[in-house]
Amino acid sequence: MTGLKARVVDVVHETAEAHSLVLEPAEGDRDRFSYRPGQFLTVRVPAEDGWAARCYSLCSSPLTDDRLKVTVKRVEGGLGSNWICDNVTAGDVLEVLRPAGTFTPSSLDDDLLLVAGGSGITPVMSILKSCLAGGRGKVALLYANRDERSVIFADELRALTEEHPDRLTVVHLLESVQGLPTPATVRSLARPYTRRQAFVCGPEVFMDLVTDTFTGLGMRVHVERFFSLENDPFEDPEAPGEPAPGGEIGEIEVEMDGETRTVPWPKSERLLDALLRAGVDAPFSCREGNCSACACVALEGEVTLDANAVLDAQDLADGLILACQARPVTDRLKITYDG
Ligand code: FES
């Protein structure tokens, strides 16, 4: 097992369909729960034929909240969301993977445009609270929902707007009042903010509409997409100490949690496999190039990616790579997970 243990200390009923779990890391695992605003947790959930894993964004801020909090909204027929909303209570212990993901601003001082649809507010809330608490920039939030009763964090947003009237603007879009968002609505709401980077999370159709509109306005857009994991990342993949495959061996210098170490990289292996084999506590979730949980920054050296459904051209230009898909081009690679 590669999972960490987190105790549920509270369950908050945010709306009729959304529950938040407040989590306390098990003693001894605390350091491995450090996270950046906008990242997610992978949670192990029971399935008919064993176990499955689902990703849920953290809505808490590492700057303002002592405990971690994920918000889970029921999805019709959804395995993980219904199990959590129906069964998880205070005192339960969940098995999770360390926080991961690249949906996080590079600077909390930048002015940002945040866009959320429904439960897509979860990682957006983490970014919003972190920017207000730890940065100097202005934040505008466009928040789309079906109706007033489905607005998650309504009271918290109201309080934050009162606390930061010069830095936070919240615009609600309610389907029950304004109808479904259209490109024209989104374009006109975004007009004052086109010089800002945008962070967008919500239902697929909504995100596509917003992303296409913003890209048309020349904006840099970061999106967070979730999907069901095909495999079970909690099963030990490459156990530390297992003999490496033969053939040519390169090396990886890896920075993580403030420490640097050098480990071998059999050239027939992907980067994540080599790191795990060497006992490095590298984060991952899908292992299919879809989620960005394994993303790190290549500081020196070069790799190719077998698959990549999540990093855009700018991410790649910034040096981000997916460890689960990276194969060596150069003999030596220097990477960092601290960024
Ligand atoms: S673990 Fe999901 S992209 Fe690598």
Side-chain angles (χ1 to χ4, degrees):
M1 284 315 156
T2 53
L4 311 174
K5 300 271 191 273
R7 194 166 60 88
V8 179
V9 292
D10 196 10
V11 177
V12 183
H13 293 205
E14 305 283 1
T15 67
E17 296 180 328
H19 291 186
S20 289
L21 308 180
V22 183
L23 302 169
E24 173 101 333
E27 207 55 53
D29 278 344
R30 224 165 272 274
D31 291 351
R32 298 171 73 205
F33 276 92
S34 64
Y35 65 101
R36 295 198 291 275
Q39 290 196 306
F40 64 85
L41 280 183
T42 304
V43 180
R44 197 172 210 206
V45 299
E48 229 170 69
D49 51 353
W51 292 93
R54 293 290 181 267
C55 302
Y56 298 108
S57 289
L58 290 152
C59 59
S60 50
S61 161
L63 280 75
T64 59
D65 298 299
D66 293 337
R67 288 167 165 153
L68 295 89
K69 187 158 112 171
V70 292
T71 303
V72 181
K73 187 176 176 188
R74 281 185 197 278
V75 176
E76 205 181 322
L79 175 78
S81 62
N82 287 299
W83 177 75
I84 287 175
C85 290
D86 289 337
N87 296 288
V88 175
T89 56
D92 288 350
V93 174
L94 298 179
E95 196 174 353
V96 303
L97 297 178
R98 56 188 299 173
T102 55
F103 188 69
T104 182
S106 53
S107 164
L108 296 179
D109 292 326
D110 289 345
D111 292 346
L112 298 179
L113 173 58
L114 308 178
V115 183
S119 59
I121 189 65
T122 308
V124 163
M125 194 68 183
S126 175
I127 295 172
L128 183 151
K129 289 198 289 185
S130 302
C131 287
L132 293 175
R136 293 188 298 269
K138 293 189 173 181
V139 180
L141 168 67
L142 304 184
Y143 187 12
N145 279 284
R146 206 171 42 228
D147 53 37
E148 209 167 337
R149 278 175 313 162
S150 23
V151 179
I152 304 171
F153 308 132
D155 292 343
E156 204 172 344
L157 284 169
R158 204 170 298 122
L160 285 166
T161 314
E162 279 165 18
E163 201 181 322
H164 303 277
D166 302 332
R167 294 183 56 210
L168 175 62
T169 307
V170 178
V171 178
H172 287 280
L173 279 172
L174 297 179
E175 194 185 321
S176 59
V177 179
Q178 293 114 314
L180 281 171
T182 64
T185 323
V186 170
R187 198 176 305 116
S188 81
L189 289 171
R191 280 277 177 220
Y193 311 113
T194 50
R195 297 172 75 88
R196 303 184 182 187
Q197 286 188 44
F199 287 78
V200 183
C201 186
E204 204 69 25
V205 178
F206 174 74
M207 281 205 294
D208 288 347
L209 184 154
V210 173
T211 306
D212 289 350
T213 308
F214 285 4
T215 308
L217 292 168
M219 299 169 67
R220 171 88 203 271
V221 188
H222 306 261
V223 296
E224 182 71 321
R225 295 182 195 277
F226 286 115
F227 54 91
S228 291
L229 300 174
E230 297 293 328
N231 56 9
D232 179 2
F234 289 85
E235 290 301 332
D236 256 348
E238 271 61 9
E242 264 181 24
E248 273 188 81
I249 309 272
E251 71 175 20
I252 314 156
E253 186 179 333
V254 51
E255 285 178 4
M256 178 180 279
D257 300 332
E259 286 176 15
T260 303
R261 59 186 285 202
T262 301
V263 300
W265 190 357
K267 291 202 168 175
S268 59
E269 272 195 328
R270 290 176 178 167
L271 174 59
L272 178 67
D273 301 336
L275 292 170
L276 295 173
R277 184 191 306 289
V280 176
D281 186 23
F284 63 90
S285 192
C286 72
R287 306 192 87 188
E288 291 161 3
N290 289 327
C291 76
S292 83
C294 63
C296 55
V297 177
L299 300 172
E300 289 168 25
E302 209 182 311
V303 299
T304 54
L305 301 183
D306 286 348
N308 167 28
V310 63
L311 300 180
D312 64 22
Q314 188 60 51
D315 294 327
L316 296 168
D318 291 344
L320 277 170
I321 59 172
L322 301 175
C324 75
Q325 298 297 319
R327 293 190 186 274
V329 173
T330 48
D331 288 340
R332 195 173 174 285
L333 180 72
K334 182 175 178 182
I335 56 171
T336 182
Y337 285 93
D338 301 339

